[in-house]
Amino acid sequence: MAATVFYLDEIPEPGIVAVLDGAEGRHAATVRRIRAGEAITLSDGRGVVAETEVVAAQKNQLDLLVRNRERADPASPAVTVVQALPKSERSELAVELMTEAGADVIVPWQAGRCVSNWEAKADKGVAKWRAAARAAARQSRRAYIPEVTALQRTPEVVAAVRAAQAQGAVVAALHESGTATFTALPWRSAAAVTLIVGPEGGLDDAELTALAEAGAEVVRLGPTVLRTSTAAAVALGALGALTARW
């Protein structure tokens, strides 16, 4: 894989010239100053990856000859992260870190103790998270861009936990009150994984009770208390070591 990865919605067959324009083409040609003869990797963000050579470079566009094309296998088990909204200055950092660490689906959650409140600006917040996920996926050369869902409230999260658990997923709510450790859960046999990360103020008692009753295991990730913006990335790193994801 070349050192530079860009995303294109549809990647043509080998031997065909693909046109990278729009925001991706502008970033490649103007910001990165990529020129004819250089090799770059294209992905559609849904698993298709192609090795290409730049055959022409314009101000806001690259023409790329597709050399080969293949589909990358998704990581298994798939991981959904339900992330309570961090403070604004750390919000996109959380998305970047969990994307680089391998999250497949990211669910922004308006938990009870969140300092940030997206109720009046949910669409804008989700758009920022999607842009951050795309940029981080490019940086880490991912073939799959994580899906960022619409903003969820606690009843929706609880319902999703119940459905995931019923389908064989391992669901872990990360909290210092947990009596079980993260490593004690049956990660290797999980059909899928859901990680729930609370806000800086922590999950309140009602949320913990509702999540546990829906099937989530309340667990301690480690001996220290992590920021909400870094907890998911640390948990994903642990999963990479405990399962076949890495």
Side-chain angles (χ1 to χ4, degrees), residues 6 20 23-35 62:
F6 292 94
L20 186 68
E24 293 282 299
R26 185 163 52 254
H27 182 77
T30 303
V31 179
R32 296 293 299 273
R33 298 184 180 278
I34 295 172
R35 296 294 179 257
L62 297 180

Side-chain angles (χ1 to χ4, degrees), residues 34-172:
I34 295 172
R35 296 294 179 257
E38 294 188 46
I40 72 170
T41 300
L42 282 182
S43 174
D44 65 356
R46 302 182 300 277
V48 174
V49 178
E51 301 303 325
T52 74
E53 179 183 344
V54 181
V55 293
Q58 302 176 36
K59 183 177 180 181
N60 295 315
Q61 175 182 309
L62 297 180
D63 294 343
L64 310 166
L65 177 63
V66 178
R67 296 296 190 187
N68 59 68
R69 190 179 74 167
E70 62 183 11
R71 175 170 291 278
D73 292 330
S76 181
V79 179
T80 296
V81 178
V82 178
Q83 174 67 60
L85 305 179
K87 296 176 183 177
S88 58
E89 66 271 16
R90 303 185 70 86
S91 183
E92 288 165 57
L93 172 64
V95 176
E96 292 168 4
L97 291 175
M98 71 180 83
T99 297
E100 292 170 8
D104 298 297
V105 180
I106 300 171
V107 180
W109 174 27
Q110 188 70 64
R113 292 178 176 170
C114 287
V115 174
S116 294
N117 189 325
W118 281 13
E119 294 297 345
K121 53 182 179 181
D123 290 346
K124 182 178 180 180
V126 168
K128 285 185 176 180
W129 278 29
R130 287 174 177 165
R134 185 183 184 93
R138 180 197 295 136
Q139 173 68 29
S140 51
R141 305 180 205 171
R142 288 190 53 170
Y144 291 86
I145 300 172
E147 174 192 358
V148 177
T149 74
L151 179 68
Q152 303 289 296
R153 284 77 178 175
T154 297
E156 296 166 311
V157 170
V158 170
V161 167
R162 186 174 291 108
Q165 198 274 337
Q167 294 171 7
V170 172
V171 183

